[in-house]
Amino acid sequence: MATANQQFFYDAQIERFLAQFVRMVSGFQVEFGFDRNGHQTLQRVPVYWGDGSRQVAQIITQNAAPNVMNAVPAMTVYINNITYDRDRVQQPDFVGKIQIRQKYYNENTMEYEDKQGNAFTIERSMPVPYTIELKVDIWTSNTKQKLQLLEQLIVLFNPAMEIQSTDNYIDWTSLSVVYLESPNWTSRSVPIGTDNPIDVATLTFKLPVWITPPAKVKKLGVIQKIVASIHDSDGNLSDSVLTDDNLLGTRQYFTPMNYGTLLIGNTLTLLKQQDVETPRDIGGEDITGTPVKVGTPDNWAAFVNIYGNLSPGISEVRLLQPDGVSEVIGTVSYHPTDPTLMLFNVDIDTIPGNTLTPINAIINPTSSSLTSSITHPSAGTRYLILGDVGSANAAPSSGPTLWRGTDGVDLVCHANDIIQYTGVHWFVSFDSQTDTTLQYVSNLTTGTQYKWNLNQWVKSFEGEYKNGGWTLVL
Amino acid sequence: MPRLSLYKPTKGNDDTFFDKRMHEMFTVGGVDVNIHLYLGPLAQPNISATEPGNTSPLSTGITGIQDLLFLENRDRKYDTSVYTMRTIYRINDNDFDLTQFGLFLTGDTMFATFHYQDMVQILGRKLMVGDVLEMPNFIDYYPLDQGLPVALKRFFTVQDASRSAEGFAPTYWPHLWRVKLQPLVDSQEYKDIINQIAAGENTTDTLGQVLSTLDKYIGINDAVVQRAEQDVPASGYDTSSIYVAPVQDDGYPADPNENDTSALTTPPTGSAIDDPQAIQNTPYKVGGYLTGDGVPANGTTVAAGISFPVSPTVNDYYLRLDYVPNRLFRFDGRRWVKIEDSVRTNLTPGSQNQTQLSGFINDYDKFYENSVGSDVIRVANVYTPPANAITSSFSYTSGNVITKLHYVSSYGVKVKINNLLITGALDNIVIANATGNIGFTVSNTLYHIGDTIEYTVYSRVVPQRQSLSQALRPTADNQ
């Protein structure tokens, strides 16, 4: 069996410190004396890696090494040693967590936009302390040059200079300091002997750094609901745990602060706690009322931005139904002109199923506009009646003639009843006076579904949803 | 009959015989070498007693010593004439030695022998340490870079010189001069050759431009610095990609549609709060070490300038550029509240670097003395200066100011706008020659119509950055 590979990772951590160190000691100059034209010049001292390969060395010298002249002064940087720093060891199994909300990143423009994008939890494993010993060799062609360079360099480390390997806010290993440990004046013997080697001063630096394994970047998890017991009475895992998608962590679910929402038609409006709709209908919308919000208008975008970026047609609002289990789900998008409204496109598959045969129309039985085509339709026609008709105590064939059957049978019903025509006379199919169960019925004329809430008919899922009764899914 | 002896107290015919044979040996078996003769230190000013320059015979001519403290001649003068003569040497094999600076060769030291009499006749003196030799036979026609304009010549410098042991004839008189040669490096000492001599016949590039590794290593160094700048564009931490929501005192998210409790409920006169969104809760940026960049949370729009706007509305941000470092304020309805200082700065030396390294070592600021004229300009679309003013013209669109003062390059100008001195990063106003008069430009983002621009021209501009040992010492007026 083949051995599984370690997952490769390399973040160039020491490399980045080296680049920053080179930057730190770069840009220094030495001053030459006056040339034959009376001009004084400053020459920048190049800084480069002191442990390059032989091939690159040959390339730099054009494969004509003795003919190409080395430039002096010059500085090289190289690692002399790297040691594990036991004195700085901290709890090795510690994991530091940080929650970050990013701005929305526009893939097209490749820029961040000023609204919230994804939110993440970053878990960072305890980094490992090391000390890097760097040496800087300074090659000069005369003592004056050497003093010029040293004076410029050594005054900076009092006692140290900060160094950063990255400006990433979440990288807790990026900051370190550079200590100048021990300058060495020259590599030559003094006084100079018969040989004449190049003169190299060496500065030794120490960098206490942290080397870190990769971090875990997770989609930010927010607690939506606390389940006190994850087991049901039979000892099995509770369905509420298994069915809650948010526990699977695929999307972000929010029950936004203390806001409620008002669904009218296909638009959602934010409701503060003190905002109430009028007329006030608990749990639904009166089939005849025109509700409005009372209070200052609230901006949906500002509200959604707290949690993330709304994806039109993908983000959802879920409306918890009175049974406490089922939800009406619809995709949402911002209203194109009114920032206080959100367009709600309901998924009809999530609308509660009808418990009664659909009605053909909602009828006011006392309206003067009633015609015989309405009161004597085809057999099987069903109406939801908004007012009382007839009386149970009345004599036969003494009720309203409009609703009397061709066989002389009077219609006796109450407001909110559903009546059905047999082809000869009407009878009460749904008796609002006696029914004690939640019922749903659709109006075939308008397509609107209504709900019998044991008190009155209301639109089945439109209306006010108080805080906790709806969920925003981004 | 005298004793038979080749040695004679004076050189005789025997010695001449040997000398001619040796001369012949160089003619037949030697190789040409081009010689750049060292003439002495270049003329330098009198810096101190140990660096007297060309005012002292100690420091002039072939025997001069430029630096009497360190006993070195750093700025050397070479003869513009090139002398050619024959030499004999043995060529060594050598390998790359990558120690420290990488490009040296083991065994790169050569010993060359010259005919003594010829040398003195041709050069006028013996070869000495510091002379530079070009070996034409070492020219390299095939460098890696085929784009180089010329073949690569090879230069050596004399590191030691003495009589050659094998140059003593049977008469015991010396005839040869031996020099120790090492490859020439592109150093201060040889700039008079490297920067003055063309690298070849068909180019104006100097030897240094073609043969030196300086430009190559500067390019390499720049690339590393550029990479470091990509890794850390500015000190501290970049929070610009982080979104922050307003939070309550307890850390819970605050309602973005609620009023900011830190704002006044009653705006002051002239501060209209007509936009309900303008008084929403304000998110605060992620805090931390060196995170201030002068930009409000979530990239909210911010104006910048050197004085606050006259009619701000609540939640307006303003970056004051006259603060060092620049300071970000937010208007809360009553006052401008400090939000943060823009402390993130570029770490590479230069004008963008705002660290203490820049403040002292890379301090470009100056101070001014001896006023020679001043004027105040009331900004207008079309400005007509008074007849007695030193201002000749001012352009509202470009910010160009032209004075009636004669241009002197050493003069300087200081500018105030609405009585606020332009300092810090904005203090880059330099005078220019405007057809013989002093002119300068004020950034047109700094003023508006009705503002006053006050300027003063000074005849003495002194760098703020001075060596501590020289500070407050008198300086020569003609420098």
Side-chain angles (χ1 to χ4, degrees):
Chain A
M1 188 179 74
T3 305
N5 291 331
Q6 291 248 47
Q7 289 287 305
F8 173 79
F9 86 96
Y10 178 63
D11 192 27
Q13 295 175 68
I14 296 176
E15 195 177 320
R16 282 186 275 113
F17 274 114
L18 291 175
Q20 294 301 327
F21 184 80
V22 170
R23 180 192 200 182
M24 183 180 288
V25 295
S26 291
F28 290 94
Q29 302 178 91
V30 291
E31 186 183 58
F32 294 164
F34 288 84
D35 62 16
R36 64 170 58 224
N37 299 317
H39 298 142
Q40 205 169 16
T41 54
L42 293 171
Q43 179 167 304
R44 181 178 148 194
V45 182
V47 185
Y48 49 94
W49 182 240
D51 191 21
S53 71
R54 301 181 71 83
Q55 194 214 18
V56 169
Q58 194 144 29
I59 289 170
I60 289 173
T61 55
Q62 299 288 345
N63 199 16
N67 293 34
V68 170
M69 293 185 286
N70 284 309
V72 59
M75 293 197 284
T76 60
V77 174
Y78 57 94
I79 294 178
N80 188 53
N81 203 2
I82 178 167
T83 52
Y84 182 71
D85 194 344
R86 189 167 292 279
D87 291 342
R88 287 190 291 129
V89 171
Q90 298 183 40
Q91 186 180 352
D93 57 355
F94 177 77
V95 175
K97 294 184 181 180
I98 184 171
Q99 282 76 35
I100 291 290
R101 299 167 187 271
Q102 272 198 312
K103 285 184 182 174
Y104 173 70
Y105 185 72
N106 189 322
E107 298 284 353
N108 297 322
T109 61
M110 298 178 70
E111 288 181 350
Y112 287 101
E113 295 183 357
D114 296 331
K115 56 185 179 181
Q116 181 174 325
N118 291 319
F120 299 98
T121 296
I122 296 97
E123 294 183 6
R124 303 165 295 185
S125 179
M126 173 59 74
V128 188
Y130 278 91
T131 296
I132 300 173
E133 186 178 285
L134 291 174
K135 282 188 182 288
V136 174
D137 282 350
I138 304 170
W139 176 27
T140 50
S141 61
N142 56 62
T143 306
K144 189 89 164 186
Q145 266 179 20
K146 186 193 288 191
L147 290 173
Q148 288 177 359
L149 276 174
L150 286 180
E151 182 171 316
Q152 294 179 78
L153 275 166
I154 60 179
V155 297
L156 303 180
F157 300 90
N158 186 22
M161 279 188 79
E162 281 187 2
I163 190 169
Q164 266 187 274
S165 64
T166 171
D167 68 346
N168 192 332
Y169 179 71
I170 60 176
D171 188 346
W172 61 4
T173 68
S174 66
L175 196 62
S176 182
V177 289
V178 179
Y179 294 107
L180 174 58
E181 291 286 314
S182 52
N184 181 43
W185 172 250
T186 182
S187 58
R188 300 194 298 192
S189 59
V190 178
I192 189 168
T194 55
D195 207 359
N196 190 30
I198 64 170
D199 178 65
V200 178
T202 302
L203 301 180
T204 303
F205 295 92
K206 283 194 174 172
L207 280 77
V209 300
W210 299 87
I211 310 298
T212 181
K216 286 183 188 176
V217 179
K218 299 176 175 178
K219 205 77 177 283
L220 179 63
V222 172
I223 296 171
Q224 178 201 16
K225 186 185 295 182
I226 295 175
V227 180
S229 172
I230 62 170
H231 294 97
D232 60 20
S233 56
D234 298 327
N236 298 320
L237 205 57
S238 171
D239 285 347
S240 60
V241 174
L242 294 173
T243 57
D244 255 358
D245 284 349
N246 70 310
L247 293 179
L248 301 178
T250 54
R251 301 182 76 173
Q252 299 177 71
Y253 288 69
F254 304 102
T255 301
M257 292 191 279
N258 289 320
Y259 274 82
T261 189
L262 175 64
L263 175 64
I264 303 297
N266 68 338
T267 58
L268 290 162
T269 307
L270 278 171
L271 290 178
K272 295 191 186 79
Q273 275 192 312
Q274 64 271 26
D275 293 341
V276 292
E277 54 158 338
T278 55
R280 180 79 178 182
D281 292 314
I282 305 301
E285 187 51 45
D286 189 311
I287 56 175
T288 57
T290 305
V292 293
K293 171 185 172 171
V294 175
T296 55
D298 293 308
N299 190 321
W300 269 104
F303 175 80
V304 172
N305 277 342
I306 297 174
Y307 299 99
N309 188 49
L310 187 117
S311 304
I314 297 173
S315 298
E316 296 173 350
V317 163
R318 295 174 174 237
L319 306 170
L320 187 64
Q321 297 306 297
D323 60 8
V325 176
S326 60
E327 291 177 322
V328 173
I329 302 171
T331 57
V332 288
S333 54
Y334 291 123
H335 194 283
T337 56
D338 188 344
T340 66
L341 295 179
M342 182 97 86
L343 298 178
F344 181 78
N345 182 25
V346 69
D347 181 347
I348 58 172
D349 291 337
T350 63
I351 295 174
N354 285 332
T355 55
L356 300 173
T357 305
I359 57 174
N360 296 90
I362 299 171
I363 298 295
N364 178 358
T366 60
S367 171
S368 59
S369 61
L370 290 175
T371 62
S372 62
S373 62
I374 293 175
T375 56
H376 293 87
S378 58
T381 298
R382 292 163 59 82
Y383 294 146
L384 193 158
I385 298 299
L386 297 181
D388 294 347
V389 179
S391 170
N393 300 324
S397 301
S398 62
T401 53
L402 265 176
W403 293 100
R404 184 177 302 154
T406 55
D407 58 356
V409 175
D410 285 333
L411 170 63
V412 178
C413 66
H414 297 90
N416 297 324
D417 285 357
I418 293 175
I419 60 174
Q420 184 170 331
Y421 194 61
T422 64
V424 180
H425 62 259
W426 294 92
F427 71 93
V428 176
S429 171
F430 169 77
D431 187 351
S432 61
Q433 303 296 303
T434 59
D435 197 290
T436 57
T437 56
L438 201 64
Q439 303 286 3
Y440 291 91
V441 68
S442 292
N443 182 351
L444 294 176
T445 300
T446 62
T448 305
Q449 189 186 49
Y450 296 96
K451 176 176 65 181
W452 174 247
N453 66 4
L454 312 184
N455 182 41
Q456 61 180 338
W457 285 101
V458 294
K459 290 175 183 171
S460 71
F461 60 89
E462 291 184 33
E464 179 188 0
Y465 291 85
K466 296 174 73 66
N467 51 321
W470 65 292
T471 309
L472 178 64
V473 183
L474 297 178
Chain B
M1 181 177 172
R3 284 185 304 175
L4 186 61
S5 173
L6 286 175
Y7 170 72
K8 290 187 174 55
T10 57
K11 293 178 180 179
N13 289 336
D14 290 340
D15 187 68
T16 303
F17 172 78
F18 286 118
D19 195 64
K20 286 184 176 176
R21 297 292 75 74
M22 290 189 197
H23 169 82
E24 194 66 18
M25 183 178 69
F26 277 86
T27 303
V28 174
V31 60
D32 277 347
V33 60
N34 297 326
I35 299 169
H36 300 266
L37 281 184
Y38 170 69
L39 299 181
L42 284 161
Q44 303 294 319
N46 182 359
I47 298 172
S48 65
T50 58
E51 294 181 66
N54 52 358
T55 62
S56 166
L58 271 176
S59 295
T60 52
I62 189 76
T63 59
I65 301 170
Q66 180 185 357
D67 191 323
L68 298 166
L69 176 61
F70 296 127
L71 300 178
E72 57 191 18
N73 290 322
R74 297 181 292 270
D75 303 292
R76 301 176 183 174
K77 184 176 184 181
Y78 284 89
D79 198 335
T80 53
S81 302
V82 180
Y83 301 85
T84 301
M85 63 179 297
R86 288 291 176 105
T87 185
I88 292 174
Y89 52 82
R90 191 172 69 183
I91 300 171
N92 300 324
D93 290 327
N94 42 38
D95 297 314
F96 257 132
D97 177 4
L98 297 189
T99 307
Q100 288 155 325
F101 294 89
L103 308 181
F104 299 99
L105 297 169
T106 57
D108 60 356
T109 302
M110 283 198 339
F111 293 92
T113 309
F114 291 83
H115 190 257
Y116 197 95
Q117 287 300 327
D118 287 353
M119 177 173 62
V120 173
Q121 281 184 1
I122 295 172
L123 304 180
R125 64 166 170 80
K126 294 175 289 185
L127 284 167
M128 63 177 286
V129 174
D131 288 337
V132 173
L133 279 56
E134 178 198 350
M135 302 286 195
N137 57 313
F138 279 129
I139 195 165
D140 194 319
Y141 293 99
Y142 304 104
L144 283 181
D145 183 358
Q146 296 296 315
L148 289 178
V150 291
L152 305 182
K153 297 174 180 176
R154 186 165 172 183
F155 290 83
F156 290 89
T157 179
V158 176
Q159 292 289 336
D160 204 356
S162 61
R163 289 195 174 97
S164 169
E166 71 267 23
F168 286 83
T171 60
Y172 282 88
W173 287 102
H175 298 271
L176 301 180
W177 187 249
R178 178 179 178 265
V179 295
K180 181 181 177 182
L181 301 174
Q182 284 192 320
L184 188 69
V185 293
D186 175 14
S187 70
Q188 177 181 0
E189 287 78 1
Y190 307 109
K191 291 293 183 187
D192 197 41
I193 295 175
I194 293 168
N195 289 347
Q196 301 293 333
I197 300 177
E201 292 180 355
N202 300 318
T203 180
T204 56
D205 289 349
T206 62
L207 280 177
Q209 289 171 305
V210 174
L211 296 182
S212 173
T213 58
L214 178 63
D215 290 344
K216 192 82 171 178
Y217 278 122
I218 290 289
I220 289 170
N221 191 183
D222 285 343
V224 176
V225 171
Q226 190 177 352
R227 180 247 167 93
E229 286 179 336
Q230 289 166 352
D231 288 341
V232 184
S235 61
Y237 295 98
D238 177 18
T239 59
S240 63
S241 66
I242 296 175
Y243 183 88
V244 288
V247 292
Q248 301 168 357
D249 292 341
D250 55 10
Y252 284 98
D255 186 343
N257 289 312
E258 287 291 337
N259 290 351
D260 184 354
T261 53
S262 68
L264 280 183
T265 52
T266 305
T269 305
S271 297
I273 303 179
D274 52 1
D275 179 4
Q277 302 303 321
I279 53 172
Q280 291 171 354
N281 270 319
T282 305
Y284 288 92
K285 287 181 68 171
V286 173
Y289 179 63
L290 291 180
T291 55
D293 54 8
V295 179
N298 302 335
T300 306
T301 306
V302 59
I306 59 171
S307 60
F308 289 120
V310 177
S311 301
T313 57
V314 174
N315 263 351
D316 273 357
Y317 285 92
Y318 199 80
L319 183 67
R320 285 288 294 262
L321 301 178
D322 53 333
Y323 281 64
V324 181
N326 297 164
R327 179 164 290 179
L328 180 69
F329 292 89
R330 182 175 69 93
F331 188 65
D332 73 349
R334 179 177 51 193
R335 59 196 173 137
W336 287 96
V337 181
K338 175 195 168 186
I339 300 297
E340 66 179 23
D341 286 337
S342 178
V343 291
R344 296 194 68 206
T345 177
N346 188 295
L347 293 171
T348 306
S351 59
Q352 301 300 313
N353 186 319
Q354 299 293 321
T355 64
Q356 203 172 33
L357 180 73
S358 175
F360 282 88
I361 294 171
N362 296 315
D363 176 14
Y364 299 102
D365 286 345
K366 301 173 176 63
F367 63 87
Y368 302 83
E369 291 178 326
N370 302 342
S371 163
V372 295
S374 64
D375 193 14
V376 178
I377 298 170
R378 174 75 65 183
V379 177
N381 265 326
V382 178
Y383 177 74
T384 304
N388 59 350
I390 66 166
T391 303
S392 173
S393 66
F394 166 70
S395 166
Y396 171 73
T397 51
S398 66
N400 290 339
V401 177
I402 298 175
T403 71
K404 298 172 184 173
L405 301 174
H406 180 63
Y407 174 75
V408 180
S409 61
S410 59
Y411 282 15
V413 63
K414 293 191 78 170
V415 177
K416 290 179 181 178
I417 296 179
N418 294 337
N419 215 28
L420 291 170
L421 187 64
I422 310 298
T423 58
L426 299 171
D427 187 18
N428 55 1
I429 296 176
V430 293
I431 63 167
N433 188 343
T435 59
N437 288 340
I438 291 174
F440 60 92
T441 301
V442 182
S443 171
N444 57 12
T445 61
L446 299 179
Y447 57 77
H448 305 89
I449 290 177
D451 289 348
T452 56
I453 298 175
E454 179 184 351
Y455 70 89
T456 306
V457 178
Y458 295 88
S459 65
R460 185 172 161 80
V461 182
V462 183
Q464 197 167 268
R465 191 187 82 143
Q466 295 186 20
S467 298
L468 193 55
S469 67
Q470 300 301 317
L472 302 184
R473 293 273 177 84
T475 55
D477 293 329
N478 57 353
Q479 281 186 359

